[in-house]
Amino acid sequence: MSIIVQEEKGLFHLQSSGMSYLIQIVDGYPVHVYWGATLKHRATMNELLIHTSPGTGLDRLPQEYPQYGSGDFRNPAYQVELEDGTRVTELKYDSYRLLKGKPELDGLPAVYVENESEADTLELVLRDGYSGLQVVLLYSIFAERNVIVRSARLINQGKQKIRLLRALSTSVDMFGHDNMEMMYLSGAWAREGNIQRRSLLQGEIRIDSKRGMSSHQFNPFAALVTPETSENHGEAYGFSLVYSGGFEAVAEVDSFGCTRLGIGVNSFDFAWLLHAGEQFQTPEAVMVYSAQGLGEMSRTYHRLYRNRLCRGKYRDQERPILVNNWEATYFDFSADKLVAIAEEGSRLGIELFVLDDGWFGKRDADNSSLGDWYEDRRKLPDGLADVAKRINGLGMQFGLWFEPEMISPDSELYRQHPDWCLHVRGRRRSEARWQLVLDYTRPEVRDYIYESLAEIFSTVPVAYVKWDMNRALTEIGSAALPPERQAETAHRYVLGLYELLERITSQFPDILFESCSSGGGRFDPGMLYYMPQTWTSDNTDAVERLKIQYGTSLVYPVSTIGAHVSAVPNHQVGRNTPLDFRGSVAMSGNFGYELDLTQFTNEEKDTVQRQVASYKQVRGLVQQGDLYRLQSPFEGNGSSWMFVSADKTEALVYAFQVMAVPNAPQRILRLNGLDPELEYTVEREGGGESSLYGGDRLMQLGLPLSYEPKDYQSRCFRLQAIQ
Ligand code: DGJ
């Protein structure tokens, strides 16, 4: 059992193989005592409480789910408004329950176990006697992972209405650490995944999304680290929210040097009405502890998200290499043009052809037809099924793009149902990319979309779906909700989306789904529960991608990171990079092409054929192996990383140099994650040479690395242990 309870001391000790988390009930308050490397549990464990006590005020007490109104002046984890208009509550410990395994969360994505022995769960029940508000804090701890998953269930056990004004998933008070730093991922469209690191001083740093989606601007993730923490050393505490809507993550340092980190659904513009007997379940926060730096924190997230968040047939399967027609044709294509690209792709070994935007309604540009999910016979005279069959006839699978959450004002759907979009009566409907957002809080809207997609899936052999979402939510209101529930719209939208995704993905388990939101606008764990891969960014430039993919890997496994080779000059930045370089960057992710293969020279086609064949050999390792980041593109001209198999007998190294270096110094790349006891053959891809090195030598002394004196150089090495 990984949860030890000492009832007489009010002590709860949650333990994984390398981590302890301690809670103590003090004067009825659940107090946060410790989170870090494993503490051996001893019978004498009673002095763990910090020097402060409630007598000195709640403001000095580290807490597990802090309240507002009785003397703690920091950010609370929750707040409610009672029918009498008051907003003060005080939760006191009531009881606890232990469960084997980890419960599912009704209607919400969540990490899971396949066997009850993988995790244990503690439910701490707290009550506010005056209002009848009950809060159940859920803690699941995995036996073999340094992961603790937290969420809260707020239940109205009183007789009167309770309005939630705020309900975060977790809040942790890290005391005794007065010089922590906060890390997070920031960005914008085509600039996702920037790693930020800021010192925390008295005051707070807040990242959030008010966009109704997790957003390009900030990913729903934050980490607390010490100033010494680096890629391979030092402590890191990660907080990742399994949610796809607006969120907040706030780190606050109080006047006593305690750092409080809270993460959850954004409390800005949020309220939720609970009638007597009703309950609200927050999304869950996945908290990871690493004593070996950021690299180990990331690998802990990768292993968990790859195997216990992603689901379905493709979770453990090698993903198909695809060619997508978006940057090849945009909206301007015919059936024959698509088949011509596919023909070339199939000759080169590509396995899946994806028909992107523009195949439905009357969509010649991005200003119409979203919602009209039926084929455009002007472009596809013999229909979609015919194109799909022709592509299948080439030995390739067929994939299709949808943007199911949207409606164009210029669409048949909008003409029939002008109230089906999110809107606020009497106000303008702000268009973005000429489109509005469907009101997914409404079951009839979701049913219409389900039927439209299901109809296509039953008549066209669709093996893959790209589920896109190209704008943020505005005028967030629903014609179907009463006035007192309008502030629930944004969260209800996400719950509606999850309900539809569950229905579609379970009804069509053989389809591989990839989520997308103008690239990485909704690259979050919530979406990964339904769709095991994401289009990482609309920026396909290989140099830009070094940073975007590196940053994204701070939390997300490589199997989820879609990466395509595109044409040069690059469509986003105009840069010309060699095909080898573009290939190596894209092969470091979930690989594909997004260009017109029919325009390639024979030499370029040979290169593609080589890349495709090579990726087929290594993709198991790339997609399922452990990622070790070696050199950060955020820090200089060189970047490198490697993938290592679980048994450490195989590895793959990619190294990149962006700009040529004249009269370059001797470079040595120190590898990581290998077995120091093993010997490895090291073969340079395309280099023909093969050498034998000890794992210890490769990690201590390193691997000699040289580039040609040209811009945009890459190197790839394959390592195989000698048994
Ligand atoms: C945005 C996506 O990120 C692109 O890949 C492409 O599918 C376009 N939408 C199509 O409109």
Side-chain angles (χ1 to χ4, degrees), residues 364-566:
D364 295 326
D366 56 8
N367 57 7
S368 84
S369 304
L370 295 170
D372 299 345
W373 298 112
Y374 38 83
E375 66 215 354
D376 180 352
R377 289 266 173 173
R378 296 169 311 156
K379 291 184 194 174
L380 311 174
D382 298 316
L384 198 53
D386 177 71
V387 177
K389 280 179 197 137
R390 285 169 72 187
I391 285 165
N392 286 167
L394 300 167
M396 284 177 113
Q397 293 187 307
F398 178 71
L400 199 56
W401 179 96
F402 291 91
E403 197 176 357
E405 296 158 70
M406 297 293 154
I407 181 165
S408 306
D410 180 9
S411 66
E412 291 311 317
L413 186 65
Y414 193 77
R415 286 185 269 279
Q416 278 168 29
H417 297 288
D419 64 331
W420 271 17
C421 61
L422 292 176
H423 64 279
V424 173
R425 207 165 298 132
R427 307 222 166 256
R428 77 184 168 97
R429 301 175 177 194
S430 306
E431 292 177 22
R433 209 192 188 211
W434 315 103
Q435 64 201 51
L436 299 166
V437 182
L438 279 172
D439 183 354
Y440 264 32
T441 71
R442 300 173 67 162
E444 67 275 29
V445 173
R446 302 198 300 267
D447 288 348
Y448 168 83
I449 293 297
Y450 177 84
E451 295 304 335
S452 307
L453 269 58
E455 166 68 20
I456 292 175
F457 298 158
S458 54
T459 49
V460 180
V462 174
Y464 161 105
V465 164
K466 179 173 171 187
W467 182 293
D468 205 350
M469 193 268 192
N470 286 309
R471 62 158 291 179
L473 279 53
T474 56
E475 289 90 29
I476 304 178
S478 172
L481 290 173
E484 68 274 20
R485 292 206 180 270
Q486 285 298 319
E488 299 174 11
T489 309
H491 183 58
R492 284 186 183 275
Y493 176 91
V494 180
L495 295 180
L497 170 66
Y498 289 155
E499 185 274 331
L500 179 61
L501 293 180
E502 184 63 36
R503 212 174 347 150
I504 290 194
T505 53
S506 55
Q507 275 304 307
F508 299 95
D510 292 333
I511 297 180
L512 170 60
F513 285 84
E514 174 156 348
S515 95
C516 172
S517 176
S518 303
R522 215 167 46 181
F523 200 139
D524 61 59
M527 294 308 286
L528 290 177
Y529 182 69
Y530 304 97
M531 308 189 180
Q533 54 191 63
T534 307
W535 178 229
T536 316
S537 176
D538 276 352
N539 191 337
T540 57
D541 172 64
V543 174
E544 296 284 314
R545 275 294 186 126
L546 291 172
K547 285 187 184 161
I548 294 171
Q549 293 172 202
Y550 186 101
T552 302
S553 81
L554 200 59
V555 190
Y556 302 103
V558 174
S559 58
T560 67
I561 296 179
H564 301 169
V565 173
S566 62

Side-chain angles (χ1 to χ4, degrees), residues 124-183:
L124 270 190
V125 183
L126 315 173
R127 278 179 62 81
D128 175 48
Y130 176 76
S131 65
L133 173 71
Q134 186 187 76
V135 175
V136 181
L137 300 182
L138 289 97
Y139 300 82
S140 295
I141 181 135
F142 284 81
E144 299 301 329
R145 305 169 193 267
N146 292 334
V147 173
I148 183 160
V149 183
R150 284 192 56 181
S151 68
R153 196 159 58 229
L154 295 95
I155 308 162
N156 182 355
Q157 292 193 331
K159 294 200 166 50
Q160 302 192 327
K161 284 187 266 185
I162 293 178
R163 183 182 301 278
L164 306 183
L165 302 175
R166 175 184 181 88
L168 298 186
S169 299
T170 187
S171 174
V172 179
D173 283 349
M174 314 277 288
F175 62 94
H177 295 274
D178 54 2
N179 60 347
M180 296 199 98
E181 297 178 350
M182 182 180 180
M183 294 184 70

Side-chain angles (χ1 to χ4, degrees), residues 38-313:
T38 313
L39 296 179
K40 207 176 216 167
H41 194 86
R42 297 190 165 89
T44 52
M45 227 169 188
N46 53 8
E47 71 297 319
L48 283 162
L49 183 57
I50 49 147
H51 305 299
T52 179
S53 73
T56 56
L58 286 175
D59 213 26
R60 298 193 74 151
L61 199 66
Q63 293 161 69
E64 283 296 304
Y65 205 64
Q67 53 222 18
Y68 169 75
S70 299
D72 184 341
F73 302 102
R74 297 166 289 180
N75 291 312
Y78 77 98
Q79 194 189 7
V80 303
E81 185 180 83
L82 306 182
E83 245 183 56
D84 61 9
T86 61
R87 296 161 317 285
V88 176
T89 51
E90 188 152 41
L91 292 175
K92 289 285 190 108
Y93 171 75
D94 178 88
S95 54
Y96 76 94
R97 203 157 74 105
L98 297 181
L99 310 169
K100 290 301 291 171
K102 177 176 184 293
E104 289 180 0
L105 300 185
D106 201 20
L108 283 168
V111 300
Y112 58 88
V113 292
E114 286 198 330
N115 186 314
E116 279 193 346
S117 63
E118 291 176 20
D120 288 305
T121 298
L122 165 69
E123 290 188 353
L124 270 190
V125 183
L126 315 173
R127 278 179 62 81
D128 175 48
Y130 176 76
S131 65
L133 173 71
Q134 186 187 76
V135 175
V136 181
L137 300 182
L138 289 97
Y139 300 82
S140 295
I141 181 135
F142 284 81
E144 299 301 329
R145 305 169 193 267
N146 292 334
V147 173
I148 183 160
V149 183
R150 284 192 56 181
S151 68
R153 196 159 58 229
L154 295 95
I155 308 162
N156 182 355
Q157 292 193 331
K159 294 200 166 50
Q160 302 192 327
K161 284 187 266 185
I162 293 178
R163 183 182 301 278
L164 306 183
L165 302 175
R166 175 184 181 88
L168 298 186
S169 299
T170 187
S171 174
V172 179
D173 283 349
M174 314 277 288
F175 62 94
H177 295 274
D178 54 2
N179 60 347
M180 296 199 98
E181 297 178 350
M182 182 180 180
M183 294 184 70
Y184 54 88
L185 296 172
S186 70
W189 172 76
R191 279 193 282 116
E192 299 88 342
N194 291 288
I195 300 179
Q196 306 292 355
R197 184 167 178 160
R198 290 165 64 184
S199 299
L200 289 166
L201 301 169
Q202 188 174 344
E204 64 183 47
I205 295 180
R206 176 188 174 92
I207 59 165
D208 82 349
S209 162
K210 300 183 183 72
R211 297 164 190 264
M213 57 202 273
S214 46
S215 88
H216 296 91
Q217 284 68 21
F218 296 106
N219 199 268
F221 163 78
L224 294 176
V225 297
T226 69
E228 300 76 40
T229 304
S230 61
E231 183 64 19
N232 297 311
H233 301 283
E235 294 191 294
Y237 299 84
F239 299 77
S240 164
L241 188 68
V242 187
Y243 189 57
S244 310
F247 74 96
E248 65 179 76
V250 180
E252 177 185 11
V253 181
D254 67 17
S255 45
F256 307 107
C258 176
T259 302
R260 172 171 292 179
L261 190 302
I263 189 167
V265 172
N266 202 340
S267 51
F268 175 83
D269 201 33
F270 165 85
W272 195 275
L273 189 61
L274 290 180
H275 287 290
E278 288 181 347
Q279 63 177 47
F280 179 87
Q281 170 64 54
T282 72
E284 64 184 28
V286 177
M287 297 162 38
V288 164
Y289 170 72
S290 163
Q292 287 110 38
L294 298 169
E296 191 55 28
M297 177 193 76
S298 299
R299 284 186 292 279
T300 304
Y301 275 119
H302 295 174
R303 294 178 193 126
L304 180 74
Y305 283 178
R306 203 163 53 215
N307 301 316
R308 294 292 181 268
L309 174 67
C310 294
R311 299 175 299 167
K313 175 174 154 182

Side-chain angles (χ1 to χ4, degrees), residues 259 341 496 708:
T259 302
I341 297 174
E708 284 181 50

